[in-house]
Amino acid sequence: MDRKWWHGAVAYQIYPKSFQDSNQDGIGDLKGIIRRLDYLKELHVDILWLSPIYVSPFVDEGYDIADYQAIAPVFGTMEDFDELLREAKARGMELIMDLVLNHCSSEHPWFKQALSSPLSEEASFFYFRRGHDGLPPDNLRSYFGGSVWEKIEGDSDLYYLHYFAREQPDLNWYNEKLRERLFEMMNWWLDKGVAGFRVDAIMNIAKDLSFPGLPADGADGLCAASKMTARMAGEVSGFLKEMRDKTLKPHDAFSVGEAFSVREEDLAAFIGEDGCFSTIFDFSSHGLNEGLSRYCDFKPLTVKYFRDATFTAQEKANAVGFLAPIIENHDEPRGVSAILPRQWQNARGAQALGTVTLLLRGIPFIYQGQELGMTNTHFDSVYEIRDLLAREQYSACLKQGLSPYQALTILNCESRENARTPMLWDHSSFAGFSEVTPWLKVHQDQHRLCVEFQEGDPHSTLNHYRALTALKHHPDFRDTLTYGDFERMPCPDDDTICFRRVGERQEIGVIASFSHDTHVFPIGEAKILLTSGEVSFKEGELMVKPGSSAVFIIER
Ligand code: ISL
Ligand code: CA
């Protein structure tokens, strides 16, 4: 396999609105990120993914792009961006942009032009179709609720397609001119010096152009668009190959796909030696539920479910390419809250879970605040929540007959807002994120979780993450931790995660326990590299107390 700089990398996702405010308007910005680059350097991060920073009406927090080549004024200017890029590179870190290609904003000039002249080239960049008998062209349900079709004002039966919000019209990938425009834009960013992209919601670009709809999966008579996406999955790699050849490959760029529902037979086309992406996120344990009332129907995860799904995904990827392990992102509740049993939703649990995700095979993505062990944010009222999906699912819960209290309880477990609250830097009024009230509330455990508090504690989650990322880069172990195969080890119970990374001359074992019981592992001549919680090693026996983790090496 061709070796690439990103194979051994650690990536970090910045949610710019919530990372660091520099001009005291309560919203994070690019200058704020620049101020915190040294912090990221100390965490031994190699790749920074910025959630969208483009001009946008922010209906979906920037995932509705109105200008792909301009910075949203709320985040700063293109000069600020160039400075950020320079400063990151000066510290040995690369930036990747969030690339939203399935749709743009209804405020994008292409869409405005399309609306004003139906015969324009721009109109062919979108999907406009006539409905029948007063009904839209098909019965798919948007990811954010309601039909995927929106009626054009003034025209009695003409609709446009939007898999997400109505302000996010889908782009027509079957139009070559549109593809060329998107590729040009990608090359413009790559020429500027960004290292690559995180490619948003990409599986959705394949459409059945006859718009047949699907059997209803809810009382609204609609069917989740994700089901059509899964059905069309085989068509995506054709588009992606063209994209790779015209943009990523000539720049030797890094790319990570947000690709749910990749078929097993397509894995090599996505992440193989000559695949379309460098990696794709491992969503195997994130139990997507896109039904009518997806929050309401949600079943909590267990350590066993997370472990088994992750292990299976790792085994499938071993011989093919690299996955990108994650436990959370800006669309998910915090991993510590979602995956761990209640007694380990604390620093001990966060550290043991960190040991697992950073040492799995692949390119781990840390989501801002994960390294602090941040848990879900507690919202006291639905009015504190802004996310359109959370709001919509709240209404769906009420419609199902839940009380407002029950619906809020569900949001506090499930909503995307859980992980979008401001980064916790210090003990000051707004956690050092801003000097004024932030756009979204500050997490309830600021003082226990903030960087300032954790820096001084050698046993803090932050310092454990620093040790993990240092280990991943250590010249003696780097090769095994990058290229070593993943292999499961026997797990003593459902709440324990044990695996090893098998390199040419060494084997690195990883054990994390979220159990009620202490476990003893005979590991013979091994050497301990790192532990968290309460672990002891004596006469070839490793004793791991609940809420602990250990990493050991066996040289051959
Ligand atoms: O949010 C989800 C689960 O909580 C997903 O269904 C999500 O919509 C899907 O993963 C696609 O996500 C991406 O595209 C969306 C945007 O809202 C998300 O923030 C983004 O990550 C539309 O651009
Ligand atoms: Ca600001």
Side-chain angles (χ1 to χ4, degrees):
M1 177 191 289
D2 245 6
R3 298 204 160 193
K4 296 285 188 191
W5 65 266
W6 56 74
H7 287 163
V10 172
Y12 188 95
Q13 179 186 357
I14 293 179
Y15 197 66
K17 259 189 113 163
S18 295
F19 196 58
Q20 177 67 62
D21 180 17
S22 75
N23 62 344
Q24 314 317 331
D25 62 357
I27 300 176
D29 45 56
L30 298 181
K31 281 204 154 73
I33 299 174
I34 297 172
R35 252 181 59 196
R36 297 298 185 177
L37 286 173
D38 287 331
Y39 168 81
L40 296 166
K41 185 64 203 160
E42 268 180 69
L43 190 57
H44 317 290
V45 165
D46 308 287
I47 299 173
L48 300 175
W49 154 25
L50 303 180
S51 271
I53 51 171
Y54 316 91
V55 167
S56 164
F58 289 93
V59 170
D60 184 19
E61 300 300 3
Y63 284 89
D64 45 329
I65 300 174
D67 185 342
Y68 287 92
Q69 284 163 259
I71 304 295
V74 68
F75 291 139
T77 61
M78 194 55 86
E79 286 67 46
D80 296 336
F81 177 82
D82 292 337
E83 188 186 337
L84 171 60
L85 189 59
R86 267 197 316 275
E87 291 294 327
K89 281 182 189 288
R91 290 166 178 80
M93 295 183 284
E94 295 289 347
L95 286 190
I96 64 170
M97 299 294 279
D98 207 319
L99 197 61
V100 187
L101 300 177
N102 175 68
H103 46 268
C104 60
S105 161
S106 51
E107 297 292 309
H108 194 290
W110 293 341
F111 192 68
K112 289 194 185 159
Q113 177 68 19
L115 281 186
S116 68
S117 62
L119 295 178
S120 62
E121 175 167 275
E122 284 80 359
S124 68
F125 289 0
F126 300 91
Y127 296 103
F128 290 96
R129 291 292 186 281
R130 300 234 162 248
H132 347 264
D133 313 320
L135 291 171
D138 70 27
N139 72 333
L140 295 188
R141 181 189 311 111
S142 121
Y143 286 89
F144 298 152
S147 170
V148 295
W149 296 98
E150 180 73 11
K151 222 180 224 173
I152 303 292
E153 235 172 274
D155 192 309
S156 59
D157 68 345
L158 190 64
Y159 296 76
Y160 69 87
L161 181 69
H162 62 90
Y163 269 17
F164 293 89
R166 67 168 66 83
E167 295 87 351
Q168 293 168 298
D170 278 41
L171 290 165
N172 176 7
W173 273 70
Y174 296 84
N175 181 318
E176 193 189 331
K177 292 221 169 84
L178 180 261
R179 295 200 303 277
E180 290 302 333
R181 300 283 278 272
L182 295 177
F183 299 156
E184 241 171 68
M185 174 274 290
M186 288 172 70
N187 284 324
W188 182 84
W189 282 106
L190 291 168
D191 290 339
K192 220 177 194 329
V194 307
F197 304 99
R198 174 263 185 185
V199 188
D200 184 76
I202 194 66
M203 298 306 283
N204 295 290
I205 61 175
K207 305 281 175 0
D208 182 334
L209 298 179
S210 68
F211 298 105
L214 286 172
D217 64 5
D220 57 357
L222 305 181
C223 177
S226 59
K227 294 203 175 132
M228 183 55 88
T229 293
R231 186 177 278 225
M232 299 303 293
E235 270 191 30
V236 179
S237 58
F239 288 134
L240 295 183
K241 278 187 186 138
E242 184 187 356
M243 176 169 107
R244 172 198 64 196
D245 293 341
K246 294 185 171 165
T247 65
L248 302 168
K249 213 171 175 178
H251 286 87
D252 202 15
F254 170 79
S255 58
V256 50
E258 191 206 19
F260 292 96
S261 64
V262 176
R263 302 177 311 174
E264 205 171 331
E265 64 262 41
D266 293 331
L267 194 61
F270 276 74
I271 58 168
E273 178 83 70
D274 198 28
C276 303
F277 292 126
S278 316
T279 180
I280 57 175
F281 291 116
D282 176 15
F283 290 119
S284 57
S285 70
H286 293 249
L288 251 209
N289 182 359
E290 304 287 14
L292 175 57
S293 41
R294 54 201 261 202
Y295 279 20
C296 200
D297 297 342
F298 184 85
K299 291 187 198 61
L301 286 177
T302 59
V303 170
K304 179 176 165 26
Y305 184 83
F306 169 78
R307 176 190 72 198
D308 294 351
T310 304
F311 280 10
T312 305
Q314 288 270 312
E315 285 166 346
K316 285 183 186 155
N318 256 340
V320 181
F322 291 91
L323 291 173
I326 55 164
I327 58 165
E328 62 202 35
N329 61 29
H330 66 293
D331 290 334
E332 305 272 347
R334 291 286 184 179
V336 169
S337 301
I339 299 165
L340 301 185
R342 194 165 280 281
Q343 74 271 24
W344 297 121
Q345 295 180 10
N346 52 26
R348 291 271 296 260
Q351 292 178 33
L353 189 57
T355 304
V356 172
T357 67
L358 282 211
L359 302 182
L360 286 167
R361 191 170 172 285
I363 301 152
F365 275 67
I366 300 171
Y367 175 71
Q368 68 180 48
Q370 178 185 329
E371 75 278 21
L372 306 178
M374 283 182 78
T375 51
N376 282 345
T377 304
H378 185 83
F379 294 93
D380 300 311
S381 146
V382 68
Y383 299 108
E384 290 177 343
I385 292 179
R386 305 170 36 133
D387 174 40
L388 80 172
L389 174 61
R391 291 287 196 121
E392 187 262 329
Q393 285 299 307
Y394 181 82
S395 310
C397 287
L398 297 184
K399 270 192 208 132
Q400 288 239 341
L402 298 192
S403 70
Y405 177 77
Q406 289 169 319
L408 183 63
T409 305
I410 287 183
L411 291 194
N412 275 321
C413 294
E414 287 314 307
S415 101
R416 307 200 293 183
E417 223 77 311
N418 275 308
R420 293 182 177 184
T421 54
M423 181 67 181
L424 302 173
W425 296 107
D426 62 32
H427 293 291
S428 65
S429 302
F430 302 110
F433 164 72
S434 180
E435 286 162 25
V436 303
T437 307
W439 72 283
L440 199 60
K441 77 182 284 185
V442 173
H443 191 281
Q444 63 278 6
D445 291 332
Q446 174 197 348
H447 298 291
R448 196 172 54 75
L449 291 173
C450 69
V451 174
E452 184 181 15
F453 183 66
Q454 293 200 32
E455 294 238 80
D457 173 5
H459 300 295
S460 69
T461 305
L462 176 58
N463 281 319
H464 182 65
Y465 265 79
R466 285 174 174 162
L468 284 166
T469 50
L471 184 71
K472 224 180 124 63
H473 289 102
H474 193 292
D476 294 348
F477 315 120
R478 186 179 184 125
D479 209 69
T480 302
L481 290 175
T482 303
Y483 296 103
D485 273 348
F486 165 90
E487 269 181 26
R488 5 180 138 210
M489 293 201 299
C491 301
D493 64 27
D494 287 350
D495 293 312
T496 311
I497 302 180
C498 312
F499 64 91
R500 60 176 150 238
R501 302 292 311 284
V502 183
E504 270 167 24
R505 282 179 311 277
Q506 54 186 205
E507 226 177 270
I508 295 180
V510 179
I511 291 173
S513 166
F514 309 99
S515 175
H516 287 284
D517 306 310
T518 297
H519 293 297
V520 177
F521 301 84
I523 57 169
E525 297 286 278
K527 205 175 96 200
I528 305 296
L529 294 180
L530 195 82
T531 64
S532 72
E534 292 174 79
V535 173
S536 59
F537 183 47
K538 185 160 89 233
E539 288 156 19
E541 295 208 315
L542 181 71
M543 192 169 79
V544 180
K545 293 248 171 105
S548 306
S549 69
V551 184
F552 56 89
I553 186 163
I554 300 172
E555 305 276 0
R556 278 198 297 262

